Amino acid sequence: MKRSYLFLILSILISDYASAQEASSEYQIFAKRFIENVKSNKKETLADLVVYPLNREYPIPDIIDKADFIKRYDEVFDANFKSEIIKSNPKKNWYDMGLRGTMLDKGSIWLDVDGRLTAVNYLSKFEIDLRKKLIAAQKNGLDESIAYFQTPICILETDKFTIRIDDLGKKNYRFASWAAGKKMSEKPDMILYNGKLIVEGIGGNHQYEFTNDKYTYECAIIILGEKNSPPARFTIYQGSKKILIQDAKIVSR
């Protein structure tokens, strides 16, 4: 799942890290194990401790499985990042964040309550350069009316629509939509500006809301849902009345 929004949400969730207590002995064990595996360059062992997919900042492709993790390990864990991890102290640099797991410093690494790797909030120079190239390629493939933005957020597909959300800068979100089957190189059927990001609790669920006269367009991203919850959901409101609800998948182009 491609989503720079995940990094945004994680940054919000870790904003209170300073108040967290030092990791308990159990979490220190997980941290120490992770440090030793990085120090010994045990890629396969680390790959077995990952919760897949391991998200990368959109539009960089997510790491989908063990083989992909091993192949891309050095792209993610460059020399600087490995040094930061190896030099970290389980008692001083790792923090117990309760049900959210354990994090390194300000959240560059997240482990869950079982010690599995759930997030890497670090971009190596390789990934920074790759992301720039991918964003440039996206802009070249879009209709000129929407070919300007600072950060791509996500692309959603429902049975009826393709929806693209971008940050124009300073969390000024833009919504563009096409009828299903149309290409994003075509002029959007609708463009809305000044969207709002709304975060729900600590589970990661969040939504982008856009208004147009008496209508509200809601794009909900479901990180923590029921067993059969879709990855996302698109809802249109007329006033307080829901006039359309569609499950959505999150895709990349």
Side-chain angles (χ1 to χ4, degrees), residues 12-230:
I12 293 171
L13 293 180
I14 67 174
S15 62
D16 61 350
Y17 83 97
S19 63
Q21 300 297 316
E22 285 190 356
S24 66
S25 57
E26 182 179 13
Y27 291 109
Q28 289 171 20
I29 291 172
F30 293 150
K32 184 176 180 180
R33 178 181 67 181
F34 189 84
I35 293 168
E36 288 300 321
N37 284 329
V38 171
K39 184 177 181 179
S40 301
N41 207 37
K42 294 182 178 179
K43 301 178 185 180
E44 292 197 5
T45 301
L46 287 166
D48 287 329
L49 296 172
V50 177
V51 177
Y52 297 103
L54 183 64
N55 297 302
R56 306 310 300 137
E57 189 163 356
Y58 181 76
I60 299 172
D62 291 341
I63 296 175
I64 59 174
D65 56 25
K66 179 177 179 179
D68 198 21
F69 179 89
I70 294 171
K71 179 181 178 181
R72 296 168 58 187
Y73 177 79
D74 292 319
E75 296 175 2
V76 178
F77 293 84
D78 62 8
N80 289 335
F81 194 30
K82 289 177 183 176
S83 178
E84 175 190 337
I85 294 168
I86 293 169
K87 291 179 181 178
S88 67
N89 186 317
K91 294 183 179 181
K92 296 181 179 180
N93 302 112
W94 294 76
Y95 298 89
D96 178 1
M97 303 301 288
L99 294 177
R100 284 174 276 174
T102 304
M103 71 175 185
L104 170 61
D105 291 329
K106 295 183 180 181
S108 57
I109 291 288
W110 278 86
L111 307 178
D112 67 11
V113 293
D114 296 315
R116 300 177 300 170
L117 178 64
T118 56
V120 176
N121 295 310
Y122 172 88
L123 287 180
S124 65
K125 184 180 184 304
F126 176 89
E127 287 191 312
I128 291 171
D129 291 341
L130 174 61
R131 186 168 182 269
K132 289 178 181 178
K133 292 178 182 177
L134 293 173
I135 290 174
Q138 280 196 2
K139 290 180 177 180
N140 288 335
L142 293 173
D143 180 76
E144 62 180 6
S145 64
I146 59 166
Y148 62 95
F149 54 85
Q150 185 177 94
T151 305
I153 300 298
C154 63
I155 299 169
L156 307 180
E157 284 187 352
T158 76
D159 289 340
K160 293 184 177 181
F161 305 104
T162 295
I163 298 165
R164 181 184 179 95
I165 300 175
D166 295 297
D167 182 356
L168 303 185
K170 298 182 179 180
K171 300 181 182 179
N172 175 16
Y173 300 105
R174 180 185 63 199
F175 169 105
S177 68
W178 298 259
K182 285 189 175 181
K183 297 180 179 180
M184 286 186 288
S185 57
E186 300 179 62
K187 186 175 181 179
D189 298 319
M190 177 181 289
I191 302 176
L192 300 173
Y193 299 92
N194 301 313
K196 297 186 298 182
L197 169 64
I198 299 173
V199 180
E200 299 179 359
I202 64 172
N205 292 351
H206 57 287
Q207 59 201 39
Y208 298 90
E209 291 187 358
F210 302 84
T211 57
N212 181 22
D213 194 17
K214 57 185 176 181
Y215 296 97
T216 299
Y217 300 80
E218 177 187 279
C219 300
I221 310 300
I222 303 169
I223 305 298
L224 183 63
E226 302 296 330
K227 182 177 180 180
N228 297 316
S229 293

